[in-house]
């Protein structure tokens, strides 16, 4: 083998590497030059989506009219054309990033025109003043007094509306949960039939179902007669459910109508949550010495809470503003906020106060939903 050694007369010296020097004629170093920003299709898609929605809201609320409204609609159409053009000319990567905004655009424009625009109009009307009772258009003048009128003059209707809706929601949970439980775990081959029986009431109009309850609860109807024959009248009178021999035109009748009409909205979401539960978890709980009752409260009920949450929202929100049940099953002393809003809109022609009442109702429900969702959580609703 050949062994290489340094020559004896040459001493080893450390190797030094000098830093590169910049050319004095060069005004800036290449490392300090900022990178050029590339085209971001996601920002373009989001910007065009928001711009088109804002233009439709402006046109739908009547803030701009005439030539300006025509120009706003032309710009809205231009945003659609610009989005399509960017997708065509940008290549596959741009189309991949911009496609979600293109798919969102029809639905978002629909919501902007038919939800946000009416909502903004309602807010403007709630801050307006009606020159006279027979005036058609209210004058926008930031009149916050309409909100104080909504609370002071219709506070009882708000309380009854939310109170009836809350009681009806609790009753639908008590009735709907066992119903959904039996169908999910004991339905077997009849599960589809039982679900169909829950959905069958939807084949009939909401109004017709309520009028049918009016006939059932009438003074000479079958339900009061059966209760009187069974001797339940003294107990029901003591509980405040019956008023003498009457059930119709009482708060109990209104709550009963709400419970019946919204029961499917509670039972079906709970069934969906129960149907997804893996029963091996229950078997595992029993192997760890949990009884059936404890396994239910430790395993099944917590896993079904997303269904209870969804059913509560689907029941409480529409029941809070419902007035059909009160109109046909209640009396003037059981008037609720939904009926008062209808009266202010269609009978009294008091658009500002009616708009303020509607906006207050929506805000209260929104606050309730936010608090309720943070308490239960919404991660497993899908």
């Amino acid at each position: 083998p050949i062994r290489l050694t340094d020559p004896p007369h040459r001493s080893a010296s450390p190797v030094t590497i000098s830093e590169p020097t910049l050319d004095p004629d060069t005004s800036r170093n290449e490392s300090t030059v900022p990178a050029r920003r590339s085209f971001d299709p996601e920002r373009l898609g989001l910007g065009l989506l928001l711009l088109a929605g804002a233009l439709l809201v402006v046109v739908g609320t009547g803030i701009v009219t005439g030539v300006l409204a025509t120009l706003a609609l032309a710009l809205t159409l231009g945003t659609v054309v610009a989005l399509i053009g960017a997708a065509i000319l940008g290549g596959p990567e741009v189309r991949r990033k911009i496609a979600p905004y293109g798919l969102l655009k029809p639905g978002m424009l629909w919501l902007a025109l038919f939800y946000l625009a009416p909502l903004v109009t309602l807010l403007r009307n709630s801050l307006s003043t009606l020159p006279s009772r027979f005036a058609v258009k209210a004058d926008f003048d930031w009149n916050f007094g309409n909100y104080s009128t909504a609370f002071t003059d219709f506070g009882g209707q708000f309380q009854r509306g939310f109170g009836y809706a809350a009681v009806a929601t609790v009753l639908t949970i008590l009735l709907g949960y066992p119903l959904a439980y039996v169908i999910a775990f004991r339905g077997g081959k009849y599960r589809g039939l039982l679900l169909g029986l829950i959905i069958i009431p939807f084949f009939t109009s909401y109004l017709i179902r309520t009028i049918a309850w009016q006939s059932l609860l009438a003074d000479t109807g079958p339900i009061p007669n059966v209760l009187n024959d069974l001797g339940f009248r003294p107990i029901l009178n003591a509980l405040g459910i019956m008023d003498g021999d009457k059930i119709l035109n009482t708060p109990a009748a209104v709550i009963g109508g709400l419970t019946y009409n919204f029961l499917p909205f509670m039972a079906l979401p709970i069934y969906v949550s129960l149907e997804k539960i893996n029963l091996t978890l229950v078997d595992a709980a029993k192997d760890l010495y949990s009884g059936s009752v404890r396994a239910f409260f430790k395993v099944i009920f917590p896993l079904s809470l997303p269904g209870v949450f969804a059913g509560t929202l689907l029941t409480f929100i529409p029941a809070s503003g419902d007035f059909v049940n009160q109109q046909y099953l209640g009396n003037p002393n059981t008037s609720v906020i939904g009926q008062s809003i209808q009266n202010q809109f269609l009978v009294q022609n008091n658009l500002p106060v009616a708009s303020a009442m509607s906006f207050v109702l929506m805000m209260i429900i929104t606050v309730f939903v936010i608090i309720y969702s943070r308490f239960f959580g919404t991660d497993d609703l899908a």
Side-chain angles (χ1 to χ4, degrees):
I2 301 174
R3 183 176 181 181
L4 298 178
T5 59
D6 292 334
H9 63 276
R10 184 179 300 175
S11 61
S13 60
V15 179
T16 60
I17 301 176
S18 61
E19 296 182 356
T21 58
L22 297 177
D23 188 354
D25 296 334
T26 304
S27 60
R28 57 182 179 177
N29 190 1
E30 293 181 357
S31 61
T32 62
V33 177
R36 182 180 299 176
R37 291 187 177 180
S38 60
F39 168 69
D40 191 350
E42 293 184 355
R43 290 185 178 182
L44 176 65
L46 180 61
L48 293 177
L49 184 65
L50 296 177
L51 177 61
L55 291 172
L56 281 183
V57 170
V58 169
V59 174
T61 54
I63 297 177
V64 295
T65 57
V67 178
L68 292 178
T70 304
L71 180 60
L73 291 176
L75 289 176
T76 304
L77 182 61
T79 60
V80 177
V81 174
L83 191 66
I84 297 175
I88 295 175
L89 301 177
E93 183 64 20
V94 174
R95 283 194 291 270
R96 184 184 66 82
K97 293 183 178 181
I98 213 170
Y101 299 97
L103 296 174
L104 281 173
K105 201 156 192 176
M108 292 300 295
L109 295 183
W110 179 275
L111 290 176
L113 183 60
F114 295 105
Y115 175 72
L116 292 180
L119 191 63
V120 174
T121 303
L122 189 70
L123 179 60
R124 285 174 55 88
N125 287 336
S126 68
L127 298 174
S128 302
T129 302
L130 204 63
S132 66
R133 180 177 178 181
F134 303 101
V136 177
K137 186 177 180 181
D139 298 329
F140 178 71
D141 56 358
W142 297 99
N143 183 11
F144 287 94
N146 296 323
Y147 287 91
S148 62
T149 302
F151 281 109
T152 56
D153 294 353
F154 302 96
Q157 285 82 347
F158 274 108
Q159 294 178 4
R160 283 191 292 270
F162 287 115
Y164 294 164
V167 176
T169 302
V170 173
L171 291 177
T172 54
I173 293 175
L174 296 177
L175 295 174
Y177 198 101
L179 180 62
Y181 183 91
V182 171
I183 296 176
F185 297 134
R186 299 290 187 269
K189 63 180 181 180
Y190 299 106
R191 183 180 300 178
L193 176 62
L194 295 174
L195 289 175
L197 293 176
I198 295 178
I199 300 173
I200 277 180
F202 289 117
F203 297 169
T204 307
S205 169
Y206 183 88
L207 181 61
I208 293 176
R209 297 200 306 268
T210 307
I211 295 175
W213 270 99
Q214 187 181 36
S215 301
L216 293 173
L217 298 177
D219 296 342
T220 58
I223 294 180
N225 291 333
V226 171
L227 294 176
N228 288 330
D229 293 339
L230 295 176
F232 289 151
R233 186 178 65 179
I235 300 175
L236 296 178
N237 282 325
L239 295 175
I241 297 176
M242 292 186 69
D243 184 9
D245 295 335
K246 297 180 59 176
I247 297 181
L248 189 64
N249 305 128
T250 63
V254 178
I255 294 173
L258 291 172
T259 303
Y260 165 75
N261 283 308
F262 291 104
L263 180 60
F265 293 98
M266 180 65 72
L268 292 177
I270 294 177
Y271 166 79
V272 173
S273 293
L274 291 173
E275 195 268 338
K276 294 190 300 182
I277 296 176
N278 189 351
L279 292 181
T280 57
L281 298 175
V282 180
D283 296 334
K286 292 182 178 179
D287 291 340
L288 296 174
Y289 305 103
S290 290
S292 299
V293 176
R294 189 175 183 182
F296 171 80
F297 285 105
K298 290 291 186 180
V299 178
I300 295 179
F301 185 71
L303 292 177
S304 65
L305 282 180
V308 177
F309 173 82
T312 301
L313 297 186
L314 292 174
T315 301
F316 181 81
I317 293 176
S320 299
D322 181 84
F323 60 89
V324 175
N325 288 276
Q326 193 282 329
Q327 183 173 351
Y328 288 96
L329 304 178
N331 59 67
N333 294 327
T334 61
S335 61
V336 292
I337 189 60
Q339 189 178 27
S340 299
I341 293 175
Q342 184 205 33
N343 181 69
Q344 292 295 316
F345 266 120
L346 302 180
V347 179
Q348 303 298 329
N349 193 34
N350 195 348
L351 298 182
V353 173
S355 300
M357 294 164 61
S358 303
F359 213 81
V360 168
L361 179 64
M362 287 190 295
M363 290 300 100
I364 293 176
I365 292 176
T366 302
V367 172
F368 163 77
V369 170
I370 293 174
I371 297 174
Y372 193 68
S373 61
R374 290 184 65 87
F375 179 77
F376 272 91
T378 58
D379 296 336
D380 296 330
L381 282 181

